[in-house]
Amino acid sequence: MNYSNLIGKSVLVVEDDPKIRNLVKIYLTKEGYEVIEAEDGAEAKERILQYDPCILILDLMLPKFSGEEVCRWVREDLNSVMPIIMLTAKASEKHKIQGFKLGADDYVVKPFSPAELMVRIEAVLRRTASRCGKLTFHGFMIKPAKGVATINGKKLELTHFEFKLLHTFMQHPNQVLSRDQILNLIYENNEKAVSDRTIDVHIKHLREKIREMTPNEYIHTVRGMGYKFEVLS
């Protein structure tokens, strides 16, 4: 699997059985995905609104709201094209047909192979790549094409360069980047409009704006080396 294609890919796993949910989470985390969890239909709706995940792994027999109701809500009420894989014990042809009619992109029957599920997730994301033109990490979400960045659903008001900085950090999570590396990543044509002497000021302003919206520190200074956007769980 090409890990570089998975950076920023968040998966919402909706499953009321904690053992199955944890098993899927272990495999997803190992493959480089960020995992969001929900144990019932109501919580699934909350997580979708909060995190806008790139793909939804959805059990059908759920407390509060069924998986079918969640799927219908995503497709009709939200008018969302978020990729959905139904993961369920409902194995009949009738249920499969109903799932696809509701808008599922794939249908996996329990008991299932976690390794096969990973392949199916990758395949669905590959087919639906244009639907997920964003990066997400622990409440952060950025849509490069639209110039939108949010934290926990609240918009970050950033300058053009601050937006580029955040985008660069989110493309390289948990990596130490020198000032020169950051500038090279931002200005691929080497026509640098900002010097490495002033980048510290821009990062300081970006940090301040993030702190106004969350108490957590994400951009860390690594003395003598540069900066790191840290998103470890």
Side-chain angles (χ1 to χ4, degrees):
M1 187 176 292
N2 185 354
Y3 176 78
S4 63
N5 291 333
L6 304 180
I7 292 176
K9 292 294 186 294
S10 55
V11 182
L12 173 57
V13 180
V14 187
E15 170 61 62
D16 62 329
D17 186 327
K19 291 183 179 179
I20 295 177
R21 196 169 65 244
N22 189 57
L23 176 64
V24 174
K25 179 180 180 180
I26 289 170
Y27 273 80
L28 285 168
T29 303
K30 183 179 178 181
E31 294 294 347
Y33 296 96
E34 180 187 11
V35 181
I36 306 161
E37 301 176 66
E39 62 182 19
D40 58 54
E43 192 174 29
K45 290 184 176 184
E46 293 175 1
R47 296 289 184 269
I48 289 168
L49 291 174
Q50 183 178 8
Y51 294 103
D52 190 17
C54 280
I55 186 167
L56 176 61
I57 310 301
L58 182 63
D59 184 21
L60 297 184
M61 293 182 283
L62 294 168
K64 299 185 180 180
F65 295 102
S66 70
E68 290 92 345
E69 290 176 297
V70 173
C71 186
R72 189 179 293 110
W73 175 77
V74 169
R75 293 291 184 248
E76 296 179 4
D77 293 3
L78 294 186
N79 195 28
S80 172
V81 293
M82 174 193 305
I84 297 174
I85 296 178
M86 291 181 172
L87 179 63
T88 177
K90 293 184 176 182
S92 71
E93 182 181 43
K94 176 184 176 181
H95 285 127
K96 290 181 182 179
I97 291 172
Q98 180 187 21
F100 284 115
K101 283 185 175 180
L102 283 171
D105 293 273
D106 202 351
Y107 196 101
V108 179
V109 176
K110 299 174 182 175
F112 64 99
S113 160
E116 180 183 345
L117 178 61
M118 297 306 108
V119 173
R120 286 176 178 264
I121 291 170
E122 183 185 11
V124 168
L125 284 174
R126 193 163 54 238
R127 292 199 309 268
T128 61
S130 62
R131 302 190 202 172
C132 191
K134 60 178 178 285
L135 298 174
T136 59
F137 282 118
H138 301 274
F140 279 87
M141 191 268 288
I142 190 167
K143 295 183 178 180
K146 295 185 178 180
V148 174
T150 64
I151 299 179
N152 297 325
K154 297 181 180 179
K155 188 176 180 181
L156 267 171
E157 298 294 342
L158 304 176
T159 66
H160 182 63
F161 189 79
E162 289 165 358
F163 185 88
K164 284 187 170 184
L165 268 176
L166 181 60
H167 187 203
T168 298
F169 281 129
M170 291 183 68
Q171 286 177 306
H172 300 84
N174 300 317
Q175 296 180 33
V176 178
L177 299 174
S178 68
R179 293 167 180 81
D180 198 50
Q181 284 176 316
I182 293 169
L183 290 173
N184 286 335
L185 288 166
I186 290 176
Y187 299 108
E188 295 179 358
N189 59 3
N190 293 321
E191 294 180 3
K192 298 177 183 178
V194 174
S195 71
D196 57 0
R197 294 183 178 181
T198 59
I199 194 170
D200 293 346
V201 176
H202 290 281
I203 290 176
K204 177 176 179 288
H205 291 162
L206 176 59
R207 275 176 167 162
E208 290 172 349
K209 290 181 179 181
I210 292 173
R211 285 194 195 110
E212 289 176 1
M213 304 181 72
T214 175
N216 299 321
E217 190 72 42
Y218 289 94
I219 302 173
H220 297 271
T221 301
V222 182
R223 186 167 297 181
M225 297 179 68
Y227 296 94
K228 179 169 68 170
F229 183 70
E230 192 165 358
V231 291
L232 293 173
S233 300

